[in-house]
Amino acid sequence: MTRPKNQGNSQPRWLFPFVVTVIFCLSVLPLGRLAVTGIVSAMQGGAHQLLSDPALWQAVYDTLTTSFFGMIAAVVLGGGFALLLTLFDVRGKAALGFLFMLPTMIPPQVTALSWIGMTGPSSTLLKALGLAPPLGSPQPLYSIGGIALLYGVQNAALVYLSLRAGLLALPRDGVEAARLSGASSWQVLKDVILPLSLPGFAAGAAIAFVSCVGNFGIPAILGIPASIYTLPTLIYSKFSSFGPGTFADVSLLSAMIAILSVAGLAVEERVLRGRDYRVIGLSGQVAVFRLGSWRWFAEIALWLTILIILVMPLTALVASSLAPAYGVPLSSSTATIQAYEEILFRQTVTRTAFTNSVTLSLTTAFGLLAATVLTGYFLVRGRSRFAPVIAALAEIPYALPGIVLAVAFILVFAAPVPVIGVSIYGTIWIILITYFSSFFAVSLKPVMSAFRQLDPSLEEAARLSGARFGRRLADILVPLVAPAAGASVILVFLIACNELTISALLWSAGTQTLGVVIYNLDDSGSFNLASALSVLVVFMVVVMMLVLELMAKRLPKGVVPWRS
Amino acid sequence: MAKLILNSLSKSFETGGRPAVNGLSLTVREGGFLALLGPSGCGKTTVLRMIAGFEQPTEGSILLGERLLADASEMVPPEHRNMAMVFQSYALWPHMSVAENVGYPLKVRGISGEKRQRKVKDALSAVRLESYADRQPADLSGGQRQRVALARCLVTEPDVVLLDEPLANLDRHLRQEMEETFREFHARSGATMIYVTHDQAEAMALATDVAVMSEGRLLQVAAPEEIYASPDGRLVGGLIGQGAILSLPSPDGDRRLLDWPAMQSLLSTREIGQGNDPVADILVRPQDVEIAAEGVAVSVLSVLFEGERYALRLALADGQTLRAFSRRSVKVGDTLTVIIRSAWRL
Ligand SMILES: Nc1ncnc2c1ncn2[C@@H]1O[C@H](COP(=O)(O)OP(=O)(O)OP(=O)(O)O)[C@@H](O)[C@H]1O
Ligand SMILES: [Mg+2]
């Protein structure tokens, strides 16, 4: 017997095809295309030349070592912060947590620039303080160790969030029972809490590893000058020296990145075994241990870390942006805002980049919102059998490194779009559609949590009032998910505006983004202009994070990624 | 307006298991007030949601007068049914004021301006909330929210009003007040109302008809007095009113209402203990158990002071329990003799 179509379903008929089309275009099509090109070129033997190239294996080795040590650094930093801030009676937790999140939200190329400004012979800050090493001595960050260190700084917050979520989900009564049975604080920590928080550690480490593997900004700025290539920067350099075999090569390289990422994500999935710490159980309250006389020590260590990973690099960045000309020492009399005038009023490239980034990000944020409100509604309210598959497909593009996605869309759009016959390769449209694909999950998540929290009877009451789908959407659903939708827009805007990896591969003259321009300015030696632009970007990041922080009270749980 | 007909309605969910509603047939007369009563999980909400159009029946059909609302292959969506529902969670839209909530069904129907304002005002005054029109739902008490939800139903003159345990979240005092409001509402609107509850006292106080469900099936439909006086089957007997159900030998013939002599003979045959007789379930209401100088001997199991009287649980010689009321206090363990004035074979 065939089941009659359920028209009691609250969804209009076009919703399912719409959602399927969106997911197909943003996820299935590019990734499928990438897989097909990879497999075809591997079978045609084009792979042989690439695979016998020692430079490739050097890049694989460098990717793995930098990512591994980066992961270790992230686990040490993020784990330490999560344990101290969650389990102990440290003061100023909210401020420390917020500041610790900042390095993750600052674009990686800006992080790299700021650290360069803090170390090495040409550091304006060190020169102003008279601490600079002699000219000609090497920049210590242009090395495997330097890349790994910055990976650690950049991704520490991922470990922090994962572990913290795990710690907050610990049953409080378990801890209390252990204490009542006579265990000291230290024993409880060692025997109960740490073993139980291992999955959080492992999951955080796995996500950090994946994020390191896909990072482009840091190895581009720190690695290329020292001829250290990771897989993403190798792809970039293949595109710069474009040749007949480029497409085949890059599709294989991105397949490698994809495999490394999938392996990392599989580890995360495995250790969490279906428990979504990031959504549930965040309201848990962990017993707080007293540090006693060690508290001062812990607080000083925490603030010192913030000083080193955040305050000093940013100070160096500001110092570099205020330096008059290359080599001129910075003092209160030589400081100048000339660099800011230059990027804001004189250079057309930077102004174009501002316009491009803001337009792209706004379009992505609002365009995606329209799609994700409908998709989120379908996934949460629909009783479709396909909902889990669709939800998984929607997640994948964001989980994969941006470089993989960029390559996938290049492959899709290298030839003119069939039927209409227009080529969007090299235009701003290809960047836009790749953004749509990459940030779909970012936009979807807050909207879905809002729909989950919404009592279905609110919509049912509107149906009985006679309101059709469009009407309910406009009058009831959208206003009720508005706070989460606002958060979704800000988050997507924030991430898209700071993005470099995708646009680095997809830009062409006139479609530069902020990330690309910062990188190019640095590449061409205009370090002070690059720094000034970076300072503006950091400022924008902080402002938007503060806005989200202020909104957080009115948002469903799990919407603001760094709040728990 | 017309009567609402449920025609051997069934609903199975995809998750499998036994059907949530199973071959339920029921006619609610025009302007009737039907209370749907039953234990938790018996399918009351599912029936209501099928009537509203949120679920499609897997078998059977729903008709409003001549108009087919739903069967297994076709269905009129809820937005076109001209029904209204009061949800257990009130389902007020938190981003709209009280007046906007109440006026929304009119807004959707394209009624605006003067006319809408007047209707909203009328509906709010019917639930005595005129002065709250500009408040936000969050600033109201539970009972006030429930009344806003009711006003929202009132405003469009729906054919059928559905209420799913509307009083379950309220305290006892407020429940009485709201029951009054519901009765007024019914009298005033003349709408057909279906009221889901698992509180039998509420059902009897409000409804013109009571339907009892269990495990997806309809057990009995009747007027409150009738269902109280002559329940069908053990389940209905246990659910409606207070009372004790005794297992006694089947009385002769098909008499159902039993008086004291009949009961006395049943109890005494029982005491003699003729084992293999067919057994019948006999419902004895506590007000029919009278403490007297002679009769059947019972011992007192428990005594509960209820204010107006004492509620007793009594044990017969063979251990079966009876309920009774008493004006004076008795002690646990005392032995009394009681007369059973009347009883009902289920
Ligand atoms: N959407 C659904 N999917 C699967 N099973 C359901 C669904 N809704 C209800 N059921 C099942 O159908 C049966 C009847 O549920 P229903 O909600 O109608 O009970 P109810 O009589 O309203 O109970 P209560 O008094 O507790 O509200 C239950 O066994 C329930 O588990
Ligand atoms: Mg129910």
Side-chain angles (χ1 to χ4, degrees):
Chain A
M1 190 187 98
T2 54
R3 269 212 119 71
K5 202 167 152 48
N6 187 350
Q7 291 155 324
N9 214 318
S10 55
Q11 308 166 15
R13 268 175 234 279
W14 52 264
L15 191 61
F16 180 65
F18 171 83
V19 170
V20 168
T21 312
V22 167
I23 296 295
F24 178 80
C25 292
L26 297 184
S27 173
V28 179
L29 178 67
L31 298 178
R33 183 65 218 264
L34 179 65
V36 167
T37 313
I39 292 168
V40 167
S41 64
M43 294 207 306
Q44 286 173 346
H48 184 256
Q49 200 196 343
L50 180 72
L51 292 180
S52 55
D53 182 358
L56 167 76
W57 296 108
Q58 185 63 39
V60 170
Y61 177 77
D62 287 346
T63 308
L64 288 176
T65 41
T66 48
S67 301
F68 179 76
F69 288 113
M71 177 186 83
I72 301 283
V75 166
V76 170
L77 274 175
F81 260 73
L83 290 177
L84 282 172
L85 290 192
T86 317
L87 296 178
F88 295 98
D89 59 340
V90 182
R91 285 165 295 186
K93 286 181 180 176
L96 279 167
F98 183 79
L99 291 174
F100 191 69
M101 285 306 304
L102 265 174
T104 305
M105 304 306 287
I106 292 175
Q109 69 277 16
V110 171
T111 308
L113 285 181
S114 62
W115 280 72
I116 290 177
M118 186 171 75
T119 55
S122 53
S123 159
T124 313
L125 182 68
L126 293 185
K127 272 195 237 160
L129 298 172
L131 295 173
L135 274 178
S137 54
Q139 161 61 269
L141 291 175
Y142 288 168
S143 63
I144 297 279
I147 295 174
L149 174 68
L150 290 212
Y151 277 176
V153 170
Q154 183 89 41
N155 296 316
L158 298 178
V159 181
Y160 169 83
L161 286 178
S162 169
L163 181 56
R164 185 172 159 80
L167 289 173
L168 287 176
L170 287 185
R172 180 178 192 155
D173 40 7
V175 173
E176 286 171 350
R179 294 195 116 178
L180 282 178
S181 57
S184 70
S185 298
W186 169 242
Q187 280 169 322
V188 170
L189 195 62
K190 183 166 66 73
D191 298 336
V192 180
I193 295 185
L194 288 183
L196 281 176
S197 62
L198 268 184
F201 254 118
I207 312 171
F209 181 80
V210 172
S211 176
C212 293
V213 168
N215 197 309
F216 174 74
I218 290 173
I221 288 188
L222 299 184
I224 293 179
S227 297
I228 300 169
Y229 284 93
T230 61
L231 287 171
T233 51
L234 189 63
I235 292 181
Y236 181 74
S237 73
K238 294 257 177 216
F239 268 107
S240 326
S241 57
F242 198 87
T246 300
F247 278 157
D249 286 358
V250 295
S251 62
L252 278 176
L253 288 174
S254 10
M256 282 183 172
I257 301 179
I259 290 169
L260 285 178
S261 314
V262 168
L265 294 171
V267 170
E268 185 212 353
E269 182 72 31
R270 182 77 187 250
V271 290
L272 290 182
R273 256 176 270 118
R275 276 175 297 177
D276 195 353
Y277 279 144
R278 291 156 300 179
V279 184
I280 51 155
L282 293 186
S283 55
Q285 259 249 308
V286 192
V288 170
F289 296 98
R290 309 178 78 87
L291 278 169
S293 53
W294 286 88
R295 187 158 83 168
W296 278 104
F297 185 75
E299 284 169 354
I300 289 173
L302 289 169
W303 284 106
L304 207 60
T305 313
I306 294 287
L307 183 74
I308 294 172
I309 66 168
L310 184 69
V311 180
M312 280 174 34
L314 290 184
T315 315
L317 193 68
V318 174
S320 313
S321 74
L322 294 176
Y326 194 74
V328 180
L330 178 69
S331 68
S332 55
S333 58
T334 58
T336 166
I337 55 163
Q338 198 197 336
Y340 292 90
E341 291 171 355
E342 186 76 22
I343 53 164
L344 286 177
F345 305 115
R346 267 171 248 143
Q347 295 252 357
T348 43
V349 175
T350 46
R351 280 166 49 198
T352 315
F354 262 115
T355 321
N356 283 344
S357 274
V358 170
T359 321
L360 278 171
S361 311
L362 281 179
T363 318
T364 309
F366 284 101
L368 270 185
L369 184 66
T372 50
V373 164
L374 291 171
T375 310
Y377 178 81
F378 172 81
L379 290 177
V380 175
R381 284 283 179 272
R383 308 174 198 171
S384 169
R385 280 175 289 153
F386 302 107
V389 181
I390 289 176
L393 286 174
E395 284 280 333
I396 293 176
Y398 183 63
L400 287 178
I403 195 111
V404 176
L405 220 54
V407 168
F409 274 99
I410 289 175
L411 295 176
V412 170
F413 290 115
V417 183
V419 185
I420 38 174
V422 184
S423 175
I424 68 164
Y425 185 61
T427 68
I428 204 154
W429 296 102
I430 189 168
I431 304 184
L432 185 68
I433 189 162
T434 313
Y435 278 8
F436 264 67
S437 166
S438 186
F439 307 133
F440 190 78
V442 179
S443 173
L444 182 63
K445 194 176 171 201
V447 175
M448 287 220 355
S449 27
F451 273 126
R452 282 213 191 86
Q453 284 203 342
L454 208 63
D455 183 352
S457 63
L458 290 177
E459 196 198 351
E460 287 168 357
R463 294 193 81 185
L464 281 177
S465 302
R468 288 154 170 270
F469 182 71
R471 191 81 201 231
R472 297 199 294 277
L473 203 63
D475 291 348
I476 310 292
L477 296 172
V478 168
L480 289 177
V481 300
S488 144
V489 164
I490 296 180
L491 270 177
V492 172
F493 184 84
L494 187 65
I495 298 176
C497 229
N498 292 326
E499 178 285 330
L500 166 64
T501 323
I502 292 172
S503 43
L505 283 196
L506 298 177
W507 74 278
S508 57
T511 67
Q512 298 94 331
T513 63
L514 279 175
V516 169
V517 167
I518 291 177
Y519 177 69
N520 286 350
L521 283 174
D522 171 63
D523 206 33
S524 60
S526 310
F527 192 69
N528 57 341
L529 297 189
S531 304
L533 198 49
S534 302
V535 169
L536 295 181
V537 165
V538 170
F539 180 72
M540 188 179 75
V541 169
V542 174
V543 167
M544 282 199 266
M545 282 181 66
L546 283 174
V547 170
L548 278 176
E549 184 77 16
L550 291 179
M551 285 171 72
K553 273 197 290 301
R554 300 184 42 215
L555 294 172
K557 278 222 173 72
V559 164
V560 181
W562 58 86
R563 295 270 301 202
S564 45
Chain B
M1 255 191 253
K3 59 186 173 183
L4 180 73
I5 302 161
L6 313 183
N7 206 343
S8 40
L9 205 58
S10 294
K11 172 78 190 175
S12 318
F13 286 103
E14 285 84 358
T15 46
R18 71 173 169 77
V21 175
N22 198 349
L24 182 129
S25 295
L26 183 64
T27 302
V28 190
R29 61 193 163 78
E30 183 177 337
F33 191 149
L34 177 89
L36 202 52
L37 191 66
S40 182
C42 70
K44 306 179 295 287
T45 299
T46 309
V47 170
L48 215 61
R49 292 175 59 82
M50 282 195 281
I51 298 173
F54 298 131
E55 307 279 357
Q56 183 161 23
T58 38
E59 272 168 62
S61 55
I62 304 172
L63 291 107
L64 189 63
E66 302 288 282
R67 182 178 173 215
L68 178 71
L69 290 184
D71 61 21
S73 55
E74 272 179 88
M75 180 151 130
V76 179
E79 34 292 37
H80 299 149
R81 292 196 174 193
N82 195 27
M83 293 186 177
M85 183 157 174
V86 177
F87 294 83
Q88 192 173 337
S89 56
Y90 317 127
L92 297 182
W93 300 301
H95 60 297
M96 299 183 186
S97 71
V98 166
E100 282 166 341
N101 263 285
V102 174
Y104 187 71
L106 299 172
K107 188 174 156 194
V108 171
R109 287 167 169 76
I111 299 169
S112 59
E114 183 75 3
K115 193 171 170 201
R116 180 157 96 210
Q117 278 173 13
R118 202 188 62 240
K119 286 196 167 208
V120 168
K121 202 157 172 268
D122 285 352
L124 281 176
S125 70
V127 294
R128 297 189 299 284
L129 281 179
E130 306 96 310
S131 52
Y132 292 81
D134 295 324
R135 291 248 199 137
Q136 292 302 121
D139 305 332
L140 298 179
S141 74
Q144 288 166 338
R145 285 180 208 176
Q146 193 63 281
R147 296 218 294 268
V148 177
L150 203 57
R152 188 172 62 188
C153 287
L154 204 71
V155 80
T156 49
E157 290 153 24
D159 296 332
V160 180
V161 178
L162 307 166
L163 306 107
D164 191 359
E165 307 205 26
L167 301 184
N169 288 341
L170 303 183
D171 68 36
R172 212 175 65 143
H173 180 74
L174 212 52
R175 288 167 91 118
Q176 274 164 6
E177 197 182 311
M178 285 304 298
E179 277 175 18
E180 195 52 45
T181 316
F182 285 145
R183 242 191 313 265
E184 265 173 40
F185 173 88
H186 182 235
R188 174 192 169 113
S189 67
T192 306
M193 289 176 66
I194 301 184
Y195 187 105
V196 163
T197 176
H198 53 235
D199 180 338
Q200 53 97 12
E202 205 172 279
M204 312 257 271
L206 284 172
T208 57
D209 296 277
V210 177
V212 180
M213 281 183 73
S214 168
E215 302 197 338
R217 292 175 184 281
L218 184 67
L219 298 182
Q220 192 178 5
V221 206
E225 295 85 356
E226 191 187 333
I227 209 166
Y228 184 85
S230 46
D232 255 342
R234 217 182 148 90
L235 241 151
V236 183
L239 212 62
I240 302 279
Q242 294 185 14
I245 297 173
L246 302 178
S247 288
L248 293 177
S250 239
D252 306 326
D254 51 7
R255 245 175 82 188
R256 300 193 70 183
L257 190 62
L258 308 169
D259 54 8
W260 172 234
M263 279 305 284
Q264 199 169 21
S265 80
L266 288 182
L267 285 166
S268 57
T269 32
R270 170 79 188 184
E271 272 158 20
I272 296 162
Q274 291 165 327
N276 305 347
D277 270 349
V279 174
D281 291 326
I282 312 272
L283 175 71
V284 181
R285 301 274 186 206
Q287 67 270 28
D288 296 330
V289 179
E290 208 172 272
I291 300 173
E294 54 193 59
V296 55
V298 291
S299 63
V300 179
L301 284 180
S302 69
V303 182
L304 196 71
F305 182 52
E306 286 185 339
E308 303 84 5
R309 63 198 175 196
Y310 295 87
L312 314 181
R313 275 179 62 231
L314 309 170
L316 291 171
D318 62 354
Q320 299 202 63
T321 52
L322 274 179
R323 289 170 178 282
F325 297 133
S326 157
R327 301 185 64 134
R328 57 184 182 81
S329 176
V330 292
K331 282 208 186 60
V332 174
D334 280 358
T335 308
L336 307 170
T337 46
V338 295
I339 290 174
I340 298 173
R341 286 279 167 225
S342 108
W344 176 258
R345 179 157 69 95
L346 292 169

